[in-house]
């Protein structure tokens, strides 16, 4: 299996090799990196390039590992029992398959995305160790053993909000997506804004990287935020001259700066720069 850049997604050589290694080893691919560096997009594009289904399990702070296997709706069964429904005689009517169950029983090899695993409780990854390792689990209510027909390609993303357990990490192939350099960012921008003028792109990238390099900035702008900012510049017909002559905050700064501390920081640095120029 070969995975490379597509018309919608630019993938670095190191990331393409990581995908290949995880598939070869039959291990989950654990992706870390700054928010907005394309971790989730990789799973989407991988499924599209292989022309296979994508099953996405979006993890929240309240997510439990059991939900990925199945959920037993005891309340509905009790209600149907009180109403005299014949459904209650088959407990399978109240078993709702989760994303792992769907992946294991898919008719073709799917891509299973477990997105933002670090949002859940610390025990969440440990609770999935056996299922991801053995690609099987037991349904206690029905006595079934659900085993993978085709071993899914598992992509797990993390934003490093919590440390993941060592036992879980041992079972994954790990790759950290470094923030792209200016050349790679220009290629990514070209996918989304192919008609953008080169001089505007170069100037915008200079401003973008200057913001990311600011000392004490609370939230560095991401790739996705750069794409949004450039879209606004194009829609509002803001050119190179407008970017270079802005005396304070850059035009449409709300696409790049997402909290008041960073806005105040940029304003302060711009003010100090103007004073030095006088």
């Amino acid at each position: 299996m070969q995975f490379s850049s597509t018309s919608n997604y630019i993938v670095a050589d190191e990331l393409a090799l990581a995908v290949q290694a995880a598939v070869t080893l039959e291990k989950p691919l654990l992706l870390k990196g700054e928010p907005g560096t394309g971790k989730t997009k990789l799973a989407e594009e991988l499924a599209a390039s292989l022309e296979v289904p994508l099953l996405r399990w979006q993890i929240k702070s309240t997510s439990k590992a059991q939900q990925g296997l199945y959920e037993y709706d005891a309340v509905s069964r009790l209600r149907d029992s009180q109403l005299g429904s014949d459904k209650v005689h088959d407990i399978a009517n109240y078993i709702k398959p989760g994303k792992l169950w769907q992946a294991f029983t898919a008719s073709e090899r799917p891509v299973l995305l477990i997105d933002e695993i670090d949002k859940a409780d610390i025990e969440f990854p440990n609770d999935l160790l056996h299922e991801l390792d053995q690609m099987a689990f037991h349904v206690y209510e029905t006595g079934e053993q659900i085993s993978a027909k085709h071993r899914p390609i598992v992509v797990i993303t993390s934003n490093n909000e919590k440390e993941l357990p060592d036992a879980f990490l041992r079972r994954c192939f790990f790759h950290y997506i470094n923030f792209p350099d200016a050349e790679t960012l220009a290629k990514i921008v070209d996918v989304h804004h192919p008609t953008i003028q080169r001089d505007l792109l170069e100037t915008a990238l200079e401003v973008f990287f200057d913001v990311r390099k600011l000392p004490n900035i609370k939230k560095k702008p991401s790739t996705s935020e750069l794409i949004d900012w450039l879209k606004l510049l194009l829609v509002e017909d803001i050119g190179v001259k407008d970017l270079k002559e802005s005396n304070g905050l850059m035009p449409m700064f709300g696409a790049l700066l997402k909290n008041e501390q960073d806005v105040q920081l940029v304003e302060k640095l711009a003010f100090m720069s103007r004073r030095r120029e006088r």
Side-chain angles (χ1 to χ4, degrees):
M1 188 207 77
Q2 296 295 326
F3 177 63
S4 57
S5 298
T6 67
S7 58
N8 299 315
Y9 185 74
I10 302 299
V11 57
D13 292 340
E14 297 83 0
L15 181 54
L17 286 173
V19 172
Q20 181 64 44
V23 172
T24 300
L25 294 173
E26 295 187 331
K27 292 186 175 226
L29 174 61
L30 174 60
L31 295 176
K32 289 188 179 183
E34 290 183 33
T37 49
K39 301 185 293 296
T40 300
K41 187 69 173 175
L42 177 134
E44 296 171 353
E45 291 299 325
L46 178 59
S49 67
L50 297 177
E51 297 182 343
V52 299
L54 171 67
L55 297 172
R56 178 171 177 169
W57 185 11
Q58 183 65 54
I59 306 303
K60 302 176 182 179
S61 60
T62 55
S63 295
K64 302 298 180 184
Q66 179 65 33
Q67 295 169 331
L69 308 180
Y70 66 92
E71 292 184 88
Y72 169 49
D73 191 351
V75 174
S76 292
R77 192 182 186 203
L78 176 61
R79 182 180 63 246
D80 288 345
S81 176
Q82 293 170 339
L83 295 174
S85 174
D86 291 336
K87 287 175 58 180
V88 298
H89 301 301
D90 185 358
I91 198 171
N93 290 324
Y94 305 95
I95 301 292
K96 180 182 178 182
K99 294 300 182 182
L100 266 72
W101 186 323
Q102 296 172 36
F104 290 176
T105 57
S107 58
E108 57 182 321
R109 186 185 200 184
V111 172
L112 172 62
L113 170 62
I114 304 177
D115 208 12
E116 299 185 329
I117 194 172
D118 52 321
K119 284 189 178 298
D121 184 85
I122 189 63
E123 292 302 321
F124 181 92
N126 281 333
D127 291 341
L128 289 177
L129 289 179
H130 175 79
E131 289 75 15
L132 291 178
D133 196 33
Q134 300 299 318
M135 287 290 155
F137 63 90
H138 185 72
V139 184
Y140 297 100
E141 289 80 3
T142 64
E144 293 177 88
Q145 180 74 8
I146 305 299
S147 301
K149 292 181 179 179
H150 310 282
R151 192 178 188 95
I153 300 172
V154 181
V155 178
I156 303 172
T157 71
S158 169
N159 290 326
N160 261 343
E161 291 186 12
K162 293 188 186 80
E163 289 293 328
L164 298 174
D166 289 345
F168 180 80
L169 295 174
R170 285 199 301 270
R171 288 166 170 81
C172 299
F173 185 88
F174 171 76
H175 182 76
Y176 185 89
I177 300 181
N178 290 311
F179 195 84
D181 57 19
E183 181 180 352
T184 304
L185 265 184
K187 293 178 182 178
I188 294 172
V189 169
D190 191 56
V191 169
H192 298 272
H193 305 300
T195 61
I196 191 171
Q197 296 180 357
R198 293 299 100 181
D199 56 345
L200 175 59
L201 175 58
E202 290 174 2
T203 303
L205 285 177
E206 288 178 9
V207 173
F208 176 76
F209 277 108
D210 284 346
V211 172
R212 282 186 56 86
K213 293 175 184 175
L214 288 176
N216 302 320
I217 188 166
K218 189 172 182 180
K219 184 195 176 304
K220 295 180 179 180
S222 67
T223 305
S224 59
E225 288 161 341
L226 170 65
I227 300 301
D228 290 342
W229 183 51
L230 290 174
K231 180 178 180 179
L232 291 174
L233 296 185
L234 292 172
V235 169
E236 298 297 326
D237 197 25
I238 296 172
V240 174
K241 183 178 180 182
D242 300 308
L243 286 180
K244 290 183 175 180
E245 294 182 355
S246 58
N247 292 323
L249 293 167
M250 67 290 292
M252 300 296 168
F253 67 87
L256 297 180
L257 305 175
K258 297 304 174 79
N259 60 69
E260 62 277 12
Q261 294 97 319
D262 290 344
V263 171
Q264 292 168 2
L265 174 63
V266 173
E267 285 181 324
K268 179 179 178 181
L269 292 175
F271 174 75
M272 294 173 63
S273 177
R274 290 196 301 270
R275 290 200 60 177
R276 284 195 297 267
E277 291 173 359
R278 292 175 182 172

